[in-house]
C-alpha cells in the first residue's frame, strides 16, 4: 500500500470541574487510599449537568484542526459510548458546530476501544481514496451513565475528549499508521453493559421502575481479559510491523487501571517506564483515553518525534485493538 493515513494534528479538552478521591469519599463508602492503591487514579474531570458529549468533542476537534493547521476535513468520526442521544449520531452535530459544511460524519461504538476502531475506519477511508483528511474524535461523558451509588465505577471513570487529524501521506513518514489489529468477543458482552434503554430492554413508561439505565462492569473479569488482550494485540501489531517487542519505545495504553498497565508491561517484558501514565489526573476517559494520553505524553516529553510507539486499548463488547506508528512532529493544542 503506497498511501497511508498520517497523524498530523492532536487536540484535547477536559471539562473544568475536578472531582478528587476525597470528594468521592465524602459521599460514598470509599477512600483516597483504596482508589489510589487499586487503580492509580487520584482525580478525574466531570462534565457539568447539561454538558453533552458533542460539547466536549467540538472543543477537542477544534483544537486538533488547529494543531494540524487545517480549516476543514473530508470526514468526521466520533467514537463514543455516550452519544448526545440514542439517535441521531453525534458526529454530524459536531461537524456542523465545527463549521465543516456537509462533510461525511458518523459515530463508531466500540466502548473503550472506540478510538482505535475509529482510527482503523479513517485509515480505510484514506486508503480507499474516499477521503484525504479525517478528523477522528474520542469523546465520552461517562458521568451521564454511572450509577451514583456504584463506588467501583465512579472511582474509575472520568469525562473528556481527544482528537487527531489524519491525512493521506506515505507509509515511511513519521506518523503513518502501521498495521491495525482489532478483535472482539461477544460471548463476554455482559461483562460490561448498560442493561436498559436499547432494543433488548426498551425503557417504557409501564416498566421504567424495573429499568437499569446505568453502566455495569464485572471489574475483576474485565481486568483479566484486558491484560491478555491488550498484550496479545500489541504483540501482533508489533510483529506485523517487523519490530520486536523490545523495540517499543513508548506504549500508549488505554488508561483504565495502573495495575492493568503494569501487568501488560510485565507480560511483554517491557520496562513499566515505557508506559506513560495519565490516569492519575483524569481516570478512565473511555474513548478519549488514548488521544488524551498521547497529548499528555507529548507535553511531558515522554513521547518524542521518531519514537517507535504502540497504542493499545480494551473495552466492552468485548473489544480490543492495537496500532503502531513512529511519533510525528505534532504538538497538541
Ligand atoms: O475501560 C475498559 C475496561 N475497564 C477496565 O479495564 C476496568 C477493569 N477493572 C478494574 O480496574 C478493577 O476490577 C476495579 C478497580 C473496578 C475494582 O478493583 P478490584 O481490585 O478488582 O476490586 P473488586 O471488584 O474485586 O472488589 C474488591 C472489593 C469489593 O468489596 P468486597 O465485596 O470484597 O467486600 C468491592 O466492593 O473492593 C470493593 N470496592 C471498593 N472499595 C472501596 C470496589 N470499589 C471500591 C471503592 N472503594 N471505590
Amino acid at each position: 500500500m503506497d498511501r497511508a493515513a498520517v497523524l498530523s494534528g492532536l487536540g484535547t479538552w477536559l471539562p473544568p470541574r475536578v472531582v478528587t478521591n476525597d470528594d468521592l469519599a465524602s459521599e460514598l463508602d470509599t477512600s483516597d487510599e483504596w482508589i489510589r492503591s487499586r487503580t492509580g487514579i487520584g482525580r478525574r474531570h466531570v462534565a457539568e449537568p447539561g454538558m453533552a458529549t458533542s460539547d466536549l468533542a467540538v472543543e477537542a476537534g477544534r483544537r486538533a484542526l488547529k494543531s494540524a493547521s487545517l480549516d476543514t476535513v473530508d470526514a468526521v468520526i466520533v467514537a463514543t459510548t455516550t452519544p448526545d442521544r440514542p439517535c441521531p449520531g453525534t458526529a454530524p452535530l459536531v461537524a456542523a458546530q465545527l463549521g465543516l459544511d456537509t462533510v461525511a460524519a458518523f459515530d463508531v461504538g466500540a466502548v473503550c476501544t472506540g478510538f482505535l476502531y475509529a482510527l482503523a475506519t479513517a485509515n480505510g477511508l484514506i486508503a480507499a481514496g474516499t477521503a484525504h483528511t479525517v478528523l477522528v474524535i474520542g469523546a465520552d461523558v461517562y458521568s451521564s451513565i454511572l450509577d451514583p451509588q456504584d463506588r467501583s465505577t465512579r472511582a474509575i471513570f472520568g469525562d473528556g475528549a481527544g482528537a487527531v487529524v489524519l491525512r493521506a501521506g506515505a507509509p515511511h513518514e513519521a506518523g503513518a499508521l502501521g498495521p491495525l489489529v482489532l478483535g472482539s468477543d461477544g460471548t463476554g458482552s455482559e461483562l460490561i453493559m448498560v442493561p436498559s434503554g436499547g432494543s433488548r430492554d426498551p425503557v417504557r413508561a409501564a416498566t421504567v421502575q424495573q429499568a437499569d439505565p446505568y453502566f455495569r462492569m464485572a471489574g475483576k473479569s474485565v481486568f483479566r481479559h484486558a491484560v491478555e488482550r491488550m498484550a496479545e494485540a500489541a504483540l501482533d501489531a508489533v510483529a506485523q510491523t517487523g519490530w520486536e517487542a523490545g523495540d517499543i519505545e513508548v506504549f500508549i495504553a488505554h488508561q483504565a487501571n495502573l495495575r492493568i498497565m503494569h501487568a501488560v508491561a510485565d507480560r511483554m517484558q517491557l520496562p513499566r517506564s515505557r508506559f506513560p501514565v495519565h490516569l492519575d489526573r483524569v481516570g478512565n476517559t473511555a474513548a478519549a483515553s488514548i488521544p488524551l494520553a498521547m497529548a499528555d505524553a507529548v507535553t511531558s516529553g515522554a513521547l518524542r518525534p521518531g519514537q517507535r510507539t504502540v497504542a493499545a486499548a480494551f473495552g466492552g463488547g468485548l473489544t480490543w485493538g492495537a496500532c503502531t506508528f513512529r511519533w510525528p512532529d505534532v504538538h497538541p493544542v
Side-chain angles (χ1 to χ4, degrees):
M1 199 168 60
D2 54 3
R3 189 176 154 99
V6 180
L7 286 162
S8 58
L10 176 60
T12 62
W13 198 76
L14 292 163
R17 183 154 71 102
V18 171
V19 173
T20 65
N21 293 344
D22 286 334
D23 292 335
L24 288 181
S26 71
E27 51 168 311
L28 291 168
D29 182 13
T30 189
S31 65
D32 180 55
E33 200 283 327
W34 193 97
I35 300 172
R36 272 184 205 278
S37 62
R38 305 303 295 166
T39 71
I41 296 165
R43 58 182 195 262
R44 70 284 299 141
H45 290 249
V46 175
E48 296 295 340
M51 195 181 269
T53 292
S54 67
D55 300 324
L56 280 63
V58 166
E59 295 295 342
R62 198 189 319 280
R63 287 166 171 76
L65 289 170
K66 189 169 177 209
S67 163
S69 303
L70 286 180
D71 293 329
T72 191
V73 285
D74 299 326
V76 176
I77 306 177
V78 174
T80 188
T81 311
T82 54
D84 285 22
R85 297 197 167 87
C87 173
T90 300
L93 181 61
V94 170
Q97 290 187 352
L98 287 171
L100 299 179
D101 200 17
T102 55
V103 298
F106 58 97
D107 292 1
V108 165
V111 198
C112 293
T113 321
F115 183 77
L116 288 180
Y117 269 77
L119 271 192
T121 308
N123 192 39
L125 290 176
I126 289 174
T130 308
H132 292 272
T133 51
V134 184
L135 176 62
V136 178
I137 307 174
D140 266 311
V141 178
Y142 261 52
S143 57
S144 67
I145 56 171
L146 296 183
D147 178 351
Q149 301 306 321
D150 184 350
R151 61 183 178 176
S152 70
T153 53
R154 282 200 57 205
I156 297 187
F157 289 97
D159 302 334
V164 297
V165 172
L166 295 176
R167 64 163 171 82
H172 58 77
E173 286 184 67
L177 297 185
L180 274 138
V181 171
L182 302 175
S184 79
D185 178 4
T187 64
S189 67
E190 294 189 355
L191 296 178
I192 290 181
M193 67 170 169
V194 176
S196 304
S199 56
R200 178 68 62 199
D201 184 17
V203 177
R204 305 254 187 257
T207 57
V208 72
Q209 299 298 340
Q210 291 84 53
D212 181 359
Y214 293 125
F215 179 92
R216 303 294 176 197
M217 178 171 73
K220 255 202 172 14
S221 199
V222 169
F223 189 112
R224 208 179 52 248
H225 286 290
V227 173
E228 284 170 16
R229 296 302 190 180
M230 276 208 286
E232 274 170 23
L235 287 173
D236 194 354
V238 162
Q240 288 187 38
T241 312
W243 300 346
E244 305 283 335
D247 292 337
I248 300 169
E249 292 172 277
V250 184
F251 194 122
I252 302 290
H254 171 51
Q255 309 273 310
N257 185 320
L258 188 60
R259 291 188 296 131
I260 294 179
M261 290 161 64
H262 286 169
V264 171
D266 296 350
R267 205 181 174 92
M268 295 180 68
Q269 297 183 312
L270 285 171
R272 293 177 175 181
S273 58
R274 292 191 197 170
F275 288 61
V277 176
H278 189 216
L279 56 67
D280 53 329
R281 287 152 289 148
V282 296
N284 178 348
T285 54
S289 174
I290 295 276
L292 281 171
M294 273 180 191
D296 187 64
V298 174
T299 304
S300 73
L303 180 56
R304 298 184 294 279
Q307 284 185 311
R308 287 183 296 273
T309 309
V310 171
F314 180 85
L318 303 170
T319 55
W320 56 88
C323 176
T324 60
F325 46 86
R326 281 182 302 113
W327 185 251
D329 192 12
V330 162
H331 299 275
V333 177

